[in-house]
Each structure stands twice: as C-alpha cells, then as structure tokens.
Amino acid sequence: MASSSAAADDESFSRYDFPPGFVFGSATSAYQVEGAADEDGRTPSIWDTFAHAGYVHGATGDVACDGYHKYKEDVQLMVETGLDAYRFSISWGPVNPKGIQPHVTLYNFDLPQDLEDEYGGWVSRKIVKDFTAYAEVCFREFGDRVQYWATINEPNVFAIGGYDQGIAPPMRCSPPFGFRNCSNGNSTSEPYLAVHNILLSHASAAKLYRKNFQTKQQGFIGINVYTFGTLPLTNATEDVVAAKRSNDFLLGW
C-alpha cells in the first residue's frame, strides 16, 4: 500500500536549509478572503450560488476576511512574517477599474454563474475562448505590475470536488460516486472532460501571453497543481506500483 511522506520533526530546519532562490510565500483565493461580494460591479460566481444555498452550514464569502478593504494590513502582516511572495486570485467577472498586485492566479474555482448557466462552464469547449479573453484583459491591465501568472489553481481538486464527488460547486456528480444526492452530472466522464477543457484553456492563455505580452512584460506563466509526496511503504513491487498509481491519479491526468 502507498503511504504519504510525513514532514520532518526536526525543528532545526530554517529557510537557509532551502536552495537559493526558493520562494517562501502565502496564497489565498478571491472568494475565501475578499468579501465585498456586491461592490464595484462584482457579479455572482458559482461559489456565491453554492454558499448561499446553505451547503457550507450558512457560511458565505460575502464578508470573509474582508481582504478587499484590508489588503494594506494584510500586506504589512506578510512583511512582518518575512514572506517573499503572495499568490492571490482575481475574481473572474466584469472589469473593475480599481487595483491589485504580484503572484496572480486567474482562476480559483469561482466561475461566473452566467457561464455555468449558459453552456455548462468547464464541461463545454466554449470555455476556452471565454477564459482566454478574460486572461487577455488581466495580462493587458495588470501585466506592468505582475510578473508571475498562474492560469488555474488546482484543477485536479476542482474536478474531483465539483464533478466527481459533487461536494463543491458546480456540484455535478452521479451515483455511486457522488457524496450528495446529485441531480445532474456524470462522475465517470465529467471530471476528465472538465480537466481537458481546463488544460486547453491553460494552453491557450499561456500561448497568448508568450506571444503578445511576455517579451515586453518579462513575466512567467504556469499552472498550479495540488500535490503531496506519495512514497512506497516498502520496496515490494506491489507498494511501488501502488505509489505510482496514486501519483498518476493525483497528478498524471
């Protein structure tokens, strides 16, 4: 059987044990921290719909950590903590002329509800064109201040939670896989279809950035994938194969 590697208990580790250039930072997503749910032209996402339907025990992101108003205090806390970088996500929606700043994620699970209603969101190939158009606006508006772009955050987690288990928006799944009583979706095919369209969207946005913006803005672009180290419990062939299979299901797809 496979076993996740445990963190070392040795408290003598410090940042100087890491290689030069290793970046220590923190990360958030827009809906988890911003609040200001109906300010400055913001429109609902699938997470607003999910939370307001009561699926997270009455909690919503309407106020959250109030990061939209407290960003200066948050940045000061990061400075005091000694962080090198801050990765946050932009809330996909109508253009808001008010500002922001560095390691930027373009999509962190908060798809505009209008796109979900119009054509099914990530299960439709139409999403590629819309995501690329959204990414282009961000590159154009913020690229003079942002050098590090992540197109999409944790597509594997998003696909499993939203299209296999149905425990996160857009809550699509089918028996016997779904953790909820799913009324629509297909757990056998839709997680793979969603990730396929996510990867196409990532490729399209990355190609656009490299072609039209990178030379002038001197930035970098990639994608964030959720992972942890999975090692064989023993050197037995069965354990080695199990660890590889676990990594393939988490990362390989």
Side-chain angles (χ1 to χ4, degrees):
M1 60 184 293
S3 171
S4 296
S5 59
D9 294 328
D10 186 353
E11 296 182 359
S12 65
F13 278 106
S14 73
R15 66 188 302 143
Y16 301 107
D17 292 296
F18 290 79
F22 190 92
V23 176
F24 288 87
S26 61
T28 62
S29 71
Y31 191 71
Q32 290 172 334
V33 299
E34 281 185 358
D38 57 359
E39 294 186 34
D40 295 327
R42 184 186 180 279
T43 56
S45 73
I46 56 175
W47 257 102
D48 290 281
T49 303
F50 177 72
H52 280 272
Y55 291 111
V56 281
H57 309 295
T60 72
D62 291 357
V63 177
C65 301
D66 201 23
Y68 192 78
H69 299 116
K70 296 182 177 179
Y71 67 93
K72 291 183 180 180
E73 298 171 45
D74 292 340
V75 170
Q76 183 59 39
L77 288 171
M78 294 176 217
V79 172
E80 294 171 1
T81 305
L83 300 183
D84 302 316
Y86 173 43
R87 180 177 65 80
F88 58 91
S89 70
I90 293 174
S91 184
W92 184 355
V95 176
N96 175 359
K98 298 191 175 181
I100 22 190
Q101 193 16 3
H103 279 245
V104 167
T105 300
L106 293 173
Y107 180 75
N108 202 332
F109 301 7
D110 51 351
L111 181 75
Q113 186 64 48
D114 288 345
L115 300 186
E116 183 70 25
D117 294 339
E118 182 182 342
Y119 53 70
W122 291 106
V123 296
S124 170
R125 185 69 65 90
K126 293 179 180 179
I127 196 77
V128 178
K129 181 179 179 181
D130 284 341
F131 180 78
T132 306
Y134 158 61
E136 184 172 20
V137 170
C138 294
F139 298 150
R140 186 176 67 244
E141 296 297 324
F142 310 127
D144 60 334
R145 286 154 288 166
V146 175
Q147 275 204 306
Y148 298 93
W149 297 94
T151 52
I152 293 151
N153 188 51
E154 299 179 352
N156 46 354
V157 173
F158 173 64
I160 292 169
Y163 296 90
D164 181 16
Q165 299 172 346
I167 58 174
M171 288 174 44
R172 296 181 66 85
C173 58
S174 61
F177 305 101
F179 287 174
R180 300 185 183 278
N181 294 323
C182 302
S183 59
N184 51 32
N186 187 326
S187 296
T188 301
S189 60
E190 286 193 353
Y192 299 97
L193 185 60
V195 169
H196 180 64
N197 289 328
I198 284 172
L199 292 175
L200 290 175
S201 298
H202 160 71
S204 177
K207 181 179 180 180
L208 173 74
Y209 180 76
R210 289 167 180 147
K211 179 181 178 182
N212 295 349
F213 297 95
Q214 190 170 42
T215 300
K216 180 179 180 180
Q217 297 176 357
Q218 295 295 299
F220 305 87
I221 191 165
I223 190 169
N224 296 324
V225 181
Y226 176 80
T227 184
F228 47 81
T230 303
L231 303 173
L233 185 62
T234 73
N235 290 327
T237 300
E238 294 85 353
D239 287 350
V240 173
V241 170
K244 183 179 185 304
R245 184 166 58 247
S246 175
N247 283 322
D248 283 343
F249 269 91
L250 181 64
L251 294 173
W253 64 319

